[in-house]
Amino acid sequence: MITLEVLTGERAGQSFELDLPVLTVGRAPGNQVVLGDFHLSGEHGQIFREDDRYIYRDLKSTNGSRVQRGERQISLDDGSLETILNDGDELQLGDPTQPVKIRCRVKIEDGGRGEQEIIAKRDLSELPEVTGKIERDPARAAALYNVSKKLGRRGLDLAAVFEGLGEAIFELAPKATHVAIDLADEPDGRLNTVYAKAKGLPAGERFPISRAVVRRVTRDKAAVLVSNAKAEIGTESVMRADIVSSIGVPLWDGDAIRGVIHCDNRGSGILLEADLDMVTAVGVLATLAIENARLVQRLRLAEEKLRGEVKYLKGREEKRRFSDIIGESKAMGGIFRQLEKVIDTRATVCIEGETGTGKEVIASAIHYQGKRREKLFVAQNCAAVPENLLESELFGHKKGAFTGADHDKKGLFEIADGGTLFLDEIGEMSLNLQAKLLRVLQEGEIRPVGATASKSVDVRIICATNRSLEKEVEKGAFRQDLFYRLRVFPIMLPPLRERREDVPLLVEHFLKKYTVEMNKPVAGVTPEALDQLGAYSWPGNIRELENEVQRLVIQCDNEGFITPDLLAPSVRKVEGLLGRVAPKKGTLKDMMEEVERWLLVEALRDHGGNKTKTAETLGITREGLHKKLAKYGM
C-alpha cells in the first residue's frame, strides 16, 4: 500500500491511497493519479512495486523529477531515471522552482512469495565447500586459476578491476549475457551500481537492470540463483529487462556485505548451480581486489588534495615577500637592516610591537627570504586556543589520549618540520606549556599528547608579543629560562604614529589592493584627506589604517576622490586641532609653549589625572612630565 499526499499544486490537500502493482502520475486523464498542473508531462512518472519496495521512475518528462529524502535531494535525469521510495520521501515533480510536492507514505505487507523464488543458495559458511568442489574439478579449477592471474595483472586501478571481473564472469559462466556490480556508499551503506556490461553492447551503453535479486542477496546474506526469473520473481523490472535467469553473489567483508555481483541471462539459456559456484568463487577474489583498488583510489585522492592544499598554502604565503613590507621611514630602515642579518641564521626571533603593527608579515618575510622557504610557514595564535587544545595543536595527540581523540593527529611542530613555526601572542601561553616549549627548544624533540615516545623535529621558532616579556618574567607569569631562549634576536616594530611618513605609502598600497579586489576604480585621495590620515595617531596601527582605507573605497563613488568628509569621525578629530588650541599671536617660542601646555592639559584629562599613563601616551618619562608641569605651574 502506498499513500500519496499532494502538498502543493492544483490538487494540494488531496490524498491517493493505492494498492496497485503499477500506477502512473501526470496530466493525462488515463493516469491513476491525475495532476492538472501545466508544467507536468502527460505521463510524468510511474510508481511500481517490486518485491518489498516501491520504486518511482521518471518517464523522461519535460521538466524532470526529484526525490527529497531528509536533507538529501535525488535528481532523476538521463543517468538515473528511477529510485526506491522510502516512507516519508517527498516527490518533487515538474518545474524545479515551483514543483508539485507529494509526500509518500509506504506500507509493505508480505506478499506471500516464499522460498520458491530461489532454487539455490550459498551462505558464508558454505564458501569452503564451494571452493573445495571447484578444486576437485581440474577443468574448473584451471579456469578459476587463469581468471585470478588475469585479475592480478589488472593492478590497482578500480575501473580496470571492474572490467576484469566482468570478463571473468563471462568466461566462467558463459551463459551469462549481462553483468553488474553494486558497491556500498561510504556514508549510508546504500548499494549503487558502479559497473554494468552486456555481451554485444558497446562499453558504457546502458540497459535496464533489475534489483530484485540484489535485495534478496542482502536480505538473506547469501549467494542466490533464480533459474526461471519470469515465473519465480515476475516483477515489472524482470519483465521489462526480459531476464530469463539470474545469479546474485555478495562481496563479503567478514560477515558484512560490501557489494553484490549480479549476472543475468537475457536470451534462452538458463544459469545453473555450477555457474553459481563459479561466480561465488569469483566474488571471493573480487572483494579483496576491489577493496585494495578503492583504498589506493582514496589514498590518491587524499594525496592530490594534500598536494593541492600545500601548493595553495605555499602560493598564498610566498606572496608575502620583503618587497611587500611597506615603509621608507628611518624606523623601517632599521627593521630592514635587522632582517637582512637574521634571515639566514637559525636564531630564534622575538618580534615585539603593538597590536596591528604587522608582526606576522615580518615573520613570514624572514621565512620566505631564508633557506627554509621550500618548507611550510605555520602560524598559531596562542591566545586564540584554550590551553588543553593548544597543547594538542602544537604537539599533536594519539588516538584515545582524551575524550574526542578518535584518531592520531599531527601537531604544528611536526607539520612545520624543516620550516618555520610562528607563535603569535606567546605571552598568553600557560606556564605548563612554556615548560614543554622549552624542552623542544633545548632538545629538538616533541612528545604528542598520550604518546610514550618522542619525535625529533627541525623547526625554526619565531614568536611575537604585544606585551613586555621582561615585565611578565618579573611578575612570574613567564619563565625566565624560556625568555632567554626565545629572545635571542629581538625585533621591536615601531607603532604607526612613530613612522607617520609611511602613511601615504601604506594608503596607496591598500587603495590599490581594495580597488582591484572590489573591481571599483577610485581616482585617488585628496591632499586634505591625506594630511588628516597622516596626522591621526592610529592606535590600531597598520590594521586600523587598512580597515579605514577599505571602508573609504566602499564609500567612495566610482572614479571619485576620497575627501575629508568620508573619513571616520575619529580620524576627522584632528581637523580642528589648531582651531581648538588657537595660540595667541606672538613669538614662535610663546606660541609653541601655549600649544604644549594645551596638549598637557588634554592628555591629563584623557587619563583622569594619571601621570604615569599620561607620560606613556606622550612618550616621555614621568620625571620629564613633572618638569613640564612645574614649568607651566600645573
Side-chain angles (χ1 to χ4, degrees):
M1 177 73 70
I2 186 167
T3 303
L4 304 177
E5 303 172 359
V6 184
L7 304 178
T8 62
E10 289 188 7
R11 304 197 69 173
Q14 296 189 24
S15 294
F16 298 85
E17 190 173 287
L18 303 156
D19 190 14
L20 299 171
V22 181
L23 62 96
T24 56
V25 178
R27 283 190 298 109
N31 293 298
Q32 285 72 39
V33 178
V34 179
L35 303 171
D37 301 82
F38 71 93
H39 52 90
L40 300 186
S41 298
E43 287 191 350
H44 197 95
Q46 180 186 72
I47 299 174
F48 59 91
R49 181 171 173 176
E50 190 173 87
D51 269 5
D52 56 353
R53 303 286 180 93
Y54 276 102
I55 295 174
Y56 176 81
R57 179 186 300 137
D58 184 88
L59 298 176
K60 297 187 177 180
S61 61
T62 302
N63 292 317
S65 306
R66 292 149 299 281
V67 174
Q68 189 72 36
R69 181 169 298 149
E71 296 182 358
R72 178 186 178 195
Q73 187 175 84
I74 303 166
S75 180
L76 303 180
D77 52 27
D78 291 336
S80 175
L81 291 170
E82 62 183 49
T83 186
I84 295 167
L85 289 176
N86 293 336
D87 186 49
D89 282 357
E90 183 181 279
L91 277 172
Q92 298 184 357
L93 310 180
D95 183 0
T97 59
Q98 291 184 317
V100 175
K101 296 182 179 180
I102 303 173
R103 182 176 293 117
C104 303
R105 295 298 184 192
V106 178
K107 183 181 179 184
I108 298 292
E109 296 178 0
D110 189 0
R113 290 185 181 270
E115 294 302 312
Q116 73 272 17
E117 296 179 17
I118 307 301
I119 70 163
K121 283 187 182 182
R122 303 286 186 268
D123 63 25
L124 185 59
S125 65
E126 296 176 86
L127 289 183
E129 182 183 335
V130 170
T131 55
K133 191 190 303 184
I134 294 171
E135 287 171 359
R136 290 190 293 272
D137 184 333
R140 293 206 293 168
L144 187 61
Y145 176 68
N146 290 332
V147 162
S148 67
K149 286 199 302 183
K150 290 178 183 177
L151 276 176
R153 288 196 292 269
R154 293 285 175 167
L156 293 171
D157 179 75
L158 193 57
V161 170
F162 290 152
E163 194 64 38
L165 287 171
E167 293 173 6
I169 291 168
F170 286 140
E171 183 176 335
L172 297 175
K175 291 182 181 179
T177 59
H178 296 69
V179 173
I181 300 173
D182 286 15
L183 290 182
D185 277 344
E186 292 294 340
D188 55 15
R190 183 183 177 194
L191 290 173
N192 290 298
T193 302
V194 295
Y195 172 81
K197 176 71 175 174
K199 286 182 179 177
L201 286 181
E205 185 167 329
R206 295 182 177 275
F207 51 85
I209 295 174
S210 171
R211 303 182 65 81
V213 170
V214 174
R215 288 194 292 275
R216 180 53 60 89
V217 169
T218 56
R219 192 193 76 181
D220 293 353
K221 292 186 177 294
V224 297
L225 164 65
V226 181
S227 284
N228 189 344
K230 291 181 180 177
E232 294 160 358
I233 299 179
T235 61
E236 196 272 345
S237 62
V238 168
M239 298 300 184
R240 177 168 51 92
D242 196 26
I243 296 173
V244 175
S245 59
S246 186
I247 286 175
V249 170
L251 298 174
W252 295 105
D253 180 9
D255 58 356
I257 293 176
R258 297 301 182 197
V260 176
I261 297 175
H262 48 115
C263 57
D264 307 323
N265 178 284
R266 305 190 185 189
S268 57
I270 296 178
L271 297 168
L272 304 174
E273 283 196 54
D275 299 312
L276 175 63
D277 290 340
M278 295 301 278
V279 178
T280 300
V282 172
V284 175
L285 299 173
T287 301
L288 183 59
I290 290 174
E291 285 306 311
N292 284 342
R294 291 180 89 179
L295 177 60
V296 169
Q297 186 181 61
R298 286 194 292 268
L299 288 173
R300 284 173 179 164
L301 289 173
E303 184 181 26
E304 280 297 315
K305 181 181 178 183
L306 184 60
R307 189 181 294 119
E309 288 174 352
V310 170
K311 184 178 179 182
Y312 166 75
L313 288 170
K314 282 188 175 181
R316 185 186 68 177
E317 297 297 340
E318 282 176 358
K319 293 177 182 177
R320 302 180 179 182
R321 294 294 184 179
F322 230 33
S323 57
D324 284 343
I325 302 176
I326 309 300
E328 296 178 358
S329 62
K330 183 178 179 181
M332 288 307 297
I335 297 295
F336 290 138
R337 286 190 293 274
Q338 284 183 291
L339 293 178
E340 288 168 0
K341 292 175 183 177
V342 79
I343 275 174
D344 286 322
T345 70
R346 292 178 55 88
T348 302
V349 178
C350 182
I351 306 172
E352 300 175 344
E354 296 178 5
T355 299
T357 49
K359 295 185 285 293
E360 186 170 346
V361 174
I362 297 295
S364 65
I366 294 172
H367 173 78
Y368 286 110
Q369 291 296 315
K371 297 175 182 178
R372 295 175 177 257
R373 68 173 68 91
E374 296 303 320
K375 299 294 183 178
L376 284 178
F377 173 79
V378 180
Q380 174 63 52
N381 188 324
C382 298
V385 183
E387 177 187 351
N388 58 331
L389 295 181
L390 182 58
E391 182 177 2
S392 172
E393 284 295 312
L394 294 178
F395 306 114
H397 65 248
K398 302 296 288 183
K399 181 179 178 181
F402 50 83
T403 303
D406 54 1
H407 63 278
D408 288 358
K409 176 184 175 181
K410 284 186 177 182
L412 297 183
F413 271 99
E414 196 171 351
I415 292 171
D417 193 16
T420 302
L421 177 59
F422 173 60
L423 298 175
D424 198 7
E425 304 300 347
I426 190 73
E428 301 289 343
M429 185 178 285
S430 69
L431 289 170
N432 178 46
L433 276 182
Q434 289 176 31
K436 296 185 178 182
L437 177 58
L438 180 63
R439 181 169 186 248
V440 179
L441 292 171
Q442 288 174 336
E443 302 176 20
E445 291 182 344
I446 61 166
R447 180 175 294 176
V449 180
T452 56
S454 299
K455 297 180 180 180
S456 295
V457 290
D458 172 24
V459 178
R460 183 180 191 178
I461 301 293
I462 301 177
C463 66
T465 178
N466 59 7
R467 297 183 178 186
S468 168
L469 291 184
E470 289 178 286
K471 291 183 179 179
E472 294 298 303
V473 170
E474 291 173 6
K475 292 191 297 184
F478 202 85
R479 293 179 63 104
Q480 188 175 46
D481 45 5
L482 180 59
F483 170 74
Y484 291 124
R485 283 277 183 178
L486 291 176
R487 213 167 181 270
V488 175
F489 193 92
I491 295 177
M492 176 61 74
L493 290 186
L496 190 53
R497 62 182 173 274
E498 293 181 10
R499 43 180 290 219
R500 294 179 187 273
E501 56 267 50
D502 290 332
V503 169
L505 296 174
L506 289 164
V507 169
E508 182 183 3
H509 171 75
F510 293 132
L511 199 60
K512 286 180 181 177
K513 174 182 175 180
Y514 288 110
T515 52
V516 171
E517 184 178 303
M518 299 179 195
N519 193 26
K520 183 177 183 179
V522 173
V525 184
T526 64
E528 295 82 2
L530 197 58
D531 286 344
Q532 290 185 36
L533 290 168
Y536 182 55
S537 62
W538 300 108
N541 294 295
I542 299 171
R543 186 179 297 132
E544 184 185 3
L545 175 60
E546 181 177 1
N547 292 341
E548 176 68 8
V549 174
Q550 183 181 15
R551 190 188 63 78
L552 290 169
V553 172
I554 294 170
Q555 282 197 309
C556 187
D557 295 330
N558 281 351
E559 304 291 353
F561 279 90
I562 293 173
T563 53
D565 60 293
L566 297 178
L567 301 179
S570 58
V571 179
R572 288 203 306 270
K573 282 182 180 178
V574 300
E575 185 176 6
L577 179 62
L578 289 178
R580 293 200 302 276
V581 178
K584 297 177 181 178
K585 297 293 183 181
T587 65
L588 178 61
K589 179 177 179 296
D590 292 339
M591 288 191 290
M592 290 299 293
E593 286 179 349
E594 192 170 347
V595 170
E596 186 177 45
R597 187 180 190 284
W598 182 86
L599 291 172
L600 290 170
V601 170
E602 289 293 308
L604 284 167
R605 183 183 293 118
D606 288 343
H607 292 292
N610 188 311
K611 295 178 182 178
T612 300
K613 290 182 179 179
T614 300
E616 288 178 1
T617 300
L618 295 174
I620 58 178
T621 64
R622 184 180 172 88
E623 292 73 16
L625 177 62
H626 277 294
K627 289 180 180 178
K628 291 184 179 293
L629 294 177
K631 174 182 175 182
Y632 297 116
M634 296 171 62

